[in-house]
Amino acid sequence: MTATLSVPSSIESWLGDEAEDLLTHEAKVSKDFLHLPGPDWVDRIFAQTDRSPQVLRSLQQLYSSGRLANTGYLSILPVDQGIEHSAAASFAPNPIYFDSENIIKLAISAGCNAVATTLGVLGSVSRKYAHKIPFIVKLNHNELLTYPNQYDQIMFASVEQAWNLGAVAVGATIYFGSPESTRQIQEVSQAFAQAHEYGMATILWCYLRNDIFKQDKDYHVAADLTGQANHLGVTIQADIIKQKLPECNNGYAAVAKASGHSYGKTDKRVYSDLTTDHPIDLTRYQVLNCYAGRMGLINSGGASGKSDFAEAIRTAVINKRAGGCGLISGRKTFQRPFEEGVKLFNAIQDVYLSPEISIA
């Protein structure tokens, strides 16, 4: 396991040479275009929608829990990697998390708004913990035991099962751009409609998946492509969008060049007027595609490594300053000693609690 690390109090010190650039950048697109997180988030954004009173109550539970309660921001522990990446690859670095209860304990100890994990994990401890922290049941997964390995999100759980164990929300992944995406869109759209009927909120992992997206750069994290994935996600009424932090742009042009055929549709003003190469501007474009922030954007923390604290804090700063509503961090937190996982979550939360870190 990773050795215990003392977290410095200064957010700037974790940002290193990027601190001034990330903390003082003025965004290309004004924040005045956006609906920004705040204590009145559910009343201001969702009370005017077609969401039922039961869904509003579930959303309020999510936004009123943990250290970020009533700020409009979210800090969520997601642990579906036991299926997505295999239990061995996920939990061997810290075997305590083979025990499902420890996943819930980490989320509670770290002051998370919610824990998002599998039907099995939540069902195994639901009577003990469903009333102590909001549950999010991840409905579909990609598993890597089928030979040859395939990449397809398939349903593992039903909306009714999530409701029965006390969940306040359901989550799902769509691999946009994959040959299976059309079926996944239909399945998830139907599941989200049913979840809203049951009074639960909906969270969509809007990921890209196709080998054509890997060229000179990995355009799975291109702002223009992930932005459109977000826009498709809010179209099927995801209340919250989970997306990877963008690292590049011009994915449409790269795919067209690689394939020798036209691909999708975009507009040159996306690249001249709405984005720059700055990570805050790229992320703001993701927020714009979530109905200008009406549906909150949470970015993912990514894989665990040697610079987890610095990377997580950097991602949180970019997300917050871009107008996003939080961070969802899994492997960076549970693949290290328990107390370090708590410290990492708290460091992320401190970014959202800091009045000095403003919207760009």
Side-chain angles (χ1 to χ4, degrees):
M1 296 183 188
T2 309
T4 300
L5 181 65
S6 176
V7 183
S9 59
S10 171
I11 294 171
E12 290 84 352
S13 67
W14 282 114
L15 297 175
D17 294 340
E18 286 189 288
E20 183 177 359
D21 182 43
L22 291 177
L23 295 174
T24 63
H25 177 73
E26 294 185 11
K28 180 80 170 179
V29 175
S30 171
K31 64 183 179 182
D32 294 338
F33 281 87
L34 304 180
H35 301 273
L36 297 172
D40 62 342
W41 181 249
V42 175
D43 285 340
R44 174 162 45 94
I45 299 299
F46 287 100
Q48 60 188 302
T49 69
D50 62 354
R51 278 34 166 204
S52 69
Q54 291 86 356
V55 174
L56 297 182
R57 181 177 59 196
S58 294
L59 284 164
Q60 192 64 59
Q61 281 185 265
L62 283 175
Y63 283 98
S64 299
S65 300
R67 288 186 75 221
L68 298 183
N70 304 313
T71 63
Y73 292 106
L74 297 170
S75 172
I76 298 174
L77 169 65
V79 189
D80 60 354
Q81 292 88 347
I83 298 176
E84 296 280 343
H85 301 284
S86 87
S90 301
F91 304 138
N94 194 354
I96 68 168
Y97 292 108
F98 279 105
D99 184 341
S100 54
E101 185 174 12
N102 286 324
I103 293 171
I104 315 303
K105 286 181 176 180
L106 174 61
I108 293 173
S109 297
C112 293
N113 296 72
V115 56
T117 185
T118 66
L119 174 72
V121 167
L122 295 176
S124 70
V125 293
S126 64
R127 292 185 185 275
K128 186 173 182 179
Y129 291 105
H131 57 296
K132 296 180 181 179
I133 186 171
F135 282 2
I136 302 166
V137 175
K138 186 73 171 10
L139 298 176
N140 65 357
H141 305 283
N142 178 68
E143 55 84 18
L144 295 178
L145 199 57
T146 300
Y147 183 84
N149 284 169
Q150 58 186 11
Y151 296 92
D152 184 13
Q153 290 286 328
I154 58 174
M155 288 292 179
F156 271 63
S158 71
V159 170
E160 185 175 5
Q161 287 174 304
W163 182 78
N164 281 333
L165 61 78
V168 304
V170 298
T173 299
I174 294 176
Y175 284 154
F176 290 106
S178 71
E180 301 81 17
S181 63
T182 299
R183 190 204 79 244
Q184 293 170 12
I185 291 170
Q186 294 171 351
E187 288 177 348
V188 174
S189 178
Q190 292 171 2
F192 279 10
Q194 187 179 15
H196 280 156
E197 290 175 0
Y198 274 76
M200 292 182 287
T202 57
I203 304 174
L204 186 63
W205 281 238
C206 287
Y207 287 170
L208 301 178
R209 173 73 71 174
N210 197 302
D211 288 343
I212 195 68
F213 296 141
K214 285 191 175 182
Q215 299 302 327
D216 59 314
K217 300 176 182 177
D218 187 356
Y219 293 99
H220 287 94
V221 286
D224 53 353
L225 298 181
T226 55
Q228 181 60 19
N230 291 358
H231 196 73
L232 295 176
V234 295
T235 300
I236 61 173
Q237 292 204 316
D239 300 318
I240 299 166
I241 295 293
K242 179 193 176 189
Q243 184 57 267
K244 296 179 180 180
L245 197 73
E247 298 177 8
C248 59
N249 211 349
N250 294 288
Y252 281 107
V255 173
K257 180 179 179 181
S259 64
H261 303 285
S262 62
Y263 172 67
K265 287 185 180 294
T266 186
D267 189 295
K268 63 182 181 181
R269 285 164 289 197
V270 170
Y271 313 99
S272 61
D273 298 355
L274 301 180
T275 63
T276 69
D277 291 335
H278 197 283
I280 291 174
D281 289 326
L282 297 177
T283 307
R284 176 147 296 178
Y285 187 68
Q286 290 185 340
V287 175
L288 276 173
N289 277 278
C290 297
Y291 295 152
R294 284 183 183 271
M295 304 300 124
L297 172 71
I298 53 177
N299 287 119
S300 54
S304 181
K306 294 182 178 180
S307 304
D308 284 345
F309 276 82
E311 291 174 4
I313 291 169
R314 178 182 185 272
T315 302
V317 168
I318 292 169
N319 173 271
K320 182 180 181 182
R321 300 210 69 225
C325 76
L327 211 62
I328 185 165
S329 186
R331 285 171 288 172
K332 288 185 185 302
T333 56
F334 69 75
Q335 288 187 335
R336 60 178 58 251
F338 188 94
E339 292 303 322
E340 277 195 18
V342 170
K343 288 181 181 179
L344 180 50
F345 266 122
N346 291 166
I348 291 168
Q349 294 154 4
D350 287 345
V351 171
Y352 293 98
L353 292 171
S354 172
E356 286 77 29
I357 300 176
S358 60
I359 310 299

